[in-house]
Amino acid sequence: MRKTKIITTEDILLKLCQSVTAVLSKATDSQVHHSAMVQKISKTSLKPDFGCFVLFDGGFSGLVVINFDAKAALEVYQKYMFHMGIPKEELATLHTSDEVADVLGELMNQIVGDFTGKVKRSLHTNITQNQPKMMAINKNISVTVDSNIERPQARRVSFNTEENNIFYLELSMERTEFIQLEEFEEVDEINPDEILEEEVAKSLEGKEKKKGRSKKTAEANSLMDDLGI
């Protein structure tokens, strides 16, 4: 008898953690790791020094929060910009700078976009996200986002950057389980960047071959001219 497969909150949280590590590691060209332990919390909140949050809805509803301290926010921002080819002397040095908020907001958008793709492929359901919001926060306050989630359950996971700065991911989502009724093959993830790189490589290879053939033809014509043919 086939064993029924049940997907829980922790399974969904793991997919989100994998999206965070994959997107940030690639964007910053450095290693980002998440803890093997997850913490149950009563509610999510934005905390100092820098908080990002995004709401999603659809097959299930939830709220994703990432809280950075100043050092972690700056490290992620600076390594991302440096990886993009921006000189270090042109980078912001304060976590409250607009440039830091823009970059972390874009990375948050990529993280949740990657996560929604994983959910669609593995759970066969769709969720949509709103525009990420960012906030530089005073050390004396924390902010709670009212997400209007029914029967919410919240989790927190810690992450380490390459320079051992710590930031925290918090997930609040409605209490739900996904129960697999039939066997199915999970569709392989399509990476647009890899497809583009393959097409560029093919194009360059084709140009090199064409250039090589043209060079050989020119050499043959030159030889025939020398022979008076």
Side-chain angles (χ1 to χ4, degrees):
M1 183 176 178
R2 181 175 65 84
K3 184 178 179 180
T4 301
K5 183 178 180 181
I6 299 177
I7 305 298
T8 65
T9 300
E10 279 66 35
D11 297 315
I12 295 172
L13 175 61
L14 178 58
K15 295 182 185 299
L16 179 58
C17 290
Q18 290 169 344
S19 291
V20 174
T21 55
V23 170
L24 293 186
S25 293
K26 183 174 182 180
T28 61
D29 194 27
S30 63
Q31 293 300 312
V32 175
H33 303 282
H34 65 80
S35 170
M37 301 296 290
V38 57
Q39 179 183 2
K40 287 186 176 181
I41 55 178
S42 59
K43 61 181 180 180
T44 59
S45 59
L46 299 170
K47 298 182 179 70
D49 293 303
F50 198 98
C52 306
F53 71 93
V54 62
L55 292 158
F56 59 85
D57 199 4
F60 56 92
S61 300
L63 165 69
V64 178
V65 173
I66 300 182
N67 290 311
F68 296 90
D69 66 14
K71 290 182 179 180
L74 279 174
E75 180 189 347
V76 171
Y77 156 76
Q78 291 178 346
K79 286 190 174 180
Y80 171 77
M81 296 297 284
F82 186 69
H83 184 50
M84 294 292 288
I86 307 301
K88 286 186 176 181
E89 57 271 17
E90 296 181 14
L91 301 181
T93 55
L94 296 175
H95 74 280
T96 53
S97 300
D98 290 341
E99 294 91 338
V100 177
D102 291 342
V103 166
L104 294 182
E106 172 58 28
L107 292 174
M108 185 75 161
N109 197 43
Q110 292 180 30
I111 287 167
V112 181
D114 186 84
F115 171 61
T116 58
K118 283 182 167 60
V119 166
K120 184 175 182 179
R121 290 188 300 274
S122 60
L123 302 182
H124 284 201
T125 190
N126 292 286
I127 56 175
T128 57
Q129 68 191 77
N130 71 353
Q131 188 66 27
K133 305 294 190 301
M134 294 72 63
M135 184 181 298
I137 302 172
N138 184 283
K139 289 185 179 296
N140 299 320
I141 67 169
S142 65
V143 181
T144 300
V145 181
D146 184 7
S147 56
N148 295 318
I149 300 172
E150 294 184 5
R151 299 185 303 161
Q153 49 186 348
R155 304 286 188 269
R156 179 189 292 134
V157 180
S158 63
F159 287 74
N160 287 76
T161 67
E162 192 170 66
E163 296 178 10
N164 288 321
N165 290 312
I166 300 175
F167 63 92
Y168 296 92
L169 166 74
E170 297 184 4
L171 170 67
S172 176
M173 60 175 287
E174 60 184 339
R175 189 181 302 278
T176 186
E177 290 182 346
F178 285 84
I179 303 171
Q180 184 175 327
L181 299 177
E182 297 179 344
E183 295 289 344
F184 64 87
E185 289 187 10
E186 187 172 330
V187 179
D188 291 336
E189 183 175 1
I190 298 175
N191 189 326
D193 293 334
E194 290 181 359
I195 294 175
L196 180 59
E197 289 173 2
E198 288 177 3
E199 291 300 319
V200 170
K202 288 179 182 178
S203 177
L204 291 174
E205 185 180 354
K207 289 181 180 179
E208 287 298 323
K209 288 182 178 179
K210 186 176 180 180
K211 184 178 179 181
R213 288 195 297 267
S214 298
K215 183 178 181 180
K216 288 180 180 180
T217 301
E219 290 175 348
N221 290 337
S222 176
L223 178 61
M224 292 176 71
D225 290 340
D226 292 340
L227 295 175
I229 301 175

